[in-house]
Amino acid sequence: MRADGKVPKGPGKGAMKNQKKALLRDLAFLGAVVAITAVLLLVFPEKRAPVFSASKDYLVEMLLVMPAVMVLMGLFSVFVPDELIVKYLGKSSGLKGMLIAILIGTFPTGPLYVAFPIAASLLRKGARVASVVVFLSAWACIKIPQELVELQFLGLRFMVTRLALTIVFVLAMGLLMERILGRELRDVPGAPEPGRR
Amino acid sequence: MNGTTLFINALALACLALGFMKDRAKTRQALKVSVKFFVRILPTMLAIILIIGLMSGFVPPKTISRVVGQEAGFIGVLTVAVLGAILQIPSLIAFPLAASLLKMGASLTSVAVFITTLTMIGFVMLPLEIRILGKRFTLLRNALSFAIAILIGLLMGVLL
């Protein structure tokens, strides 16, 4: 997503255009990497074998998990719509609310910027700042498909330890931010307004 | 195929079957979304795979461990944290990259810090987050995320 300030809430026309632009950027990046690889391997033919074998190992490993992960993400995104999230998070507060926030943050899919409007509408509906912070952080770094890929590549011990630490610190961060900003955030800009930066 | 791969694929299949039992049309739509996700992530995935190959062929592990390994110390951790906050790599692809770095001599701490700042902080997204959630909220959230990423990484280095 570009930071051009024209970011729609839903998958509107602007979003489609942005996605196309992002895809082109990614393709250009891939092209550049392929070109660099080609040149390097032409100049250093003896490096071909190690480079290809390392790439092949990772390619195989990724192809074994990525389709399944994508299926999970697709299912989550269709069966758990944004409104459901707002409904469940909006009314609970206290520690229970924060735990629900973690849980719900792990379910859905999509990049972090998709969660910003959800967070804003939660705040406008009077949700606790702590819960919203926890929700955003969980959305960012504890999504289930993501944890599965972490498990595959970095192992159970790494994944579990990082997950546990993240949950603890994210809860603490939510409470700290609430301490600083106040329990209910009144100055959420909310939906894009003309004349507001 | 190892246990994790089997588990992930079995889980996906089970969820898919459940979806089909609950709502055929929705599940079909979900599969379309999945294909779109996959197409979207494929170029970056292939690029990162090549980069991993190049790194293992051309960059000696000594260099990696000097830049992001134990020897690099706190400066190394900070560098990695900033890189994670700036770079826009999809987190799913970041794990294989992190694994290859770990194998080549990066420290556990820097790998954990990298993943955490990469997912929690988006430098490019800052203006957008400010517009939607306000300046105070955004700056505080990103600053604190940066700090806890480093804390999580340091603790992981101690624990594992």
Side-chain angles (χ1 to χ4, degrees):
Chain A
M1 183 66 57
R2 305 309 306 167
D4 58 5
K6 265 190 242 129
V7 177
K9 275 180 139 182
K13 256 191 190 156
M16 294 259 291
K17 222 172 156 189
N18 268 325
Q19 274 196 1
K20 233 185 196 162
K21 238 162 86 189
L23 186 61
L24 282 179
R25 202 181 51 219
D26 288 355
L27 282 174
F29 177 56
L30 175 60
V33 173
V34 169
I36 291 170
T37 309
V39 170
L40 278 175
L41 292 186
L42 274 176
V43 179
F44 304 95
E46 77 280 5
K47 297 278 191 192
R48 276 178 207 168
V51 169
F52 280 138
S53 90
S55 287
K56 208 197 81 201
D57 287 352
Y58 279 92
L59 179 67
V60 168
E61 213 172 327
M62 281 196 212
L63 286 181
L64 283 176
V65 289
M66 285 304 170
V69 169
M70 295 297 147
V71 166
L72 283 175
M73 287 173 62
L75 285 170
F76 279 131
S77 76
V78 170
F79 280 93
V80 187
D82 296 356
E83 304 85 68
L84 212 68
I85 299 168
V86 175
K87 198 180 122 199
Y88 278 99
L89 252 182
K91 54 186 178 191
S92 22
S93 72
L95 186 66
K96 201 177 128 211
M98 284 166 66
L99 292 179
I100 291 178
I102 288 194
L103 215 65
I104 289 183
T106 62
F107 271 179
T109 148
L112 190 55
Y113 58 76
V114 176
F116 294 151
I118 303 177
S121 75
L122 284 169
L123 284 171
R124 253 175 287 143
K125 286 186 181 180
R128 280 180 72 163
V129 166
S131 296
V132 174
V133 172
V134 168
F135 162 73
L136 271 179
S137 312
W139 182 299
C141 67
I142 357 191
K143 276 183 291 185
I144 289 171
Q146 206 169 293
E147 291 304 316
L148 290 176
V149 178
E150 183 168 359
L151 175 66
Q152 163 86 359
F153 283 96
L154 293 165
L156 187 65
R157 255 160 62 98
F158 187 97
M159 184 271 247
V160 169
T161 314
R162 206 179 70 87
L163 180 63
L165 287 173
T166 305
I167 291 177
V168 170
F169 277 108
V170 155
L171 287 173
M173 173 171 134
L175 290 172
L176 180 63
M177 273 187 72
E178 190 173 277
R179 256 321 239 304
I180 299 172
L181 296 173
R183 191 180 161 112
E184 284 165 54
L185 211 59
R186 290 284 174 219
D187 60 345
V188 176
E193 288 167 41
R196 183 155 207 158
R197 225 209 72 76
Chain B
M1 261 212 191
N2 60 18
T4 312
T5 325
L6 276 176
F7 172 70
I8 297 173
N9 283 284
L11 183 68
L13 280 180
C15 289
L16 201 59
L18 208 72
F20 264 118
M21 279 197 288
K22 269 199 111 172
D23 191 331
R24 257 166 193 283
K26 258 191 175 174
T27 308
R28 222 169 275 139
Q29 195 199 332
L31 280 179
K32 264 189 214 154
V33 173
S34 311
V35 172
K36 235 192 242 161
F37 280 147
F38 196 58
V39 170
R40 198 52 204 79
I41 211 168
L42 203 57
T44 317
M45 193 175 114
L46 294 175
I48 296 287
I49 285 174
L50 279 180
I51 290 174
I52 291 177
L54 287 179
M55 277 198 319
S56 34
F58 285 93
V59 186
K62 258 209 178 122
T63 311
I64 303 246
S65 74
R66 206 176 54 227
V67 179
V68 289
Q70 298 288 2
E71 310 162 40
F74 195 65
I75 301 288
V77 173
L78 266 185
T79 314
V80 175
V82 172
L83 266 181
I86 294 172
L87 286 180
Q88 288 287 99
I89 307 172
S91 49
L92 290 176
I93 310 286
F95 293 115
L97 182 64
S100 77
L101 283 172
L102 204 56
K103 228 190 201 158
M104 284 187 267
S107 71
L108 241 146
T109 300
S110 35
V111 167
V113 167
F114 178 68
I115 293 171
T116 310
T117 54
L118 190 71
T119 46
M120 296 243 277
I121 304 172
F123 226 72
V124 196
M125 290 187 300
L126 272 184
L128 175 68
E129 187 175 354
I130 288 176
R131 221 167 66 102
I132 299 181
L133 289 166
K135 205 179 223 162
R136 285 192 319 148
F137 185 96
T138 301
L139 295 182
L140 199 56
R141 192 189 76 79
N142 284 281
L144 286 175
S145 297
F146 194 83
I148 71 167
I150 289 176
L151 274 176
I152 289 173
L154 290 176
L155 275 172
M156 284 196 64
V158 174
L159 289 173
L160 292 182

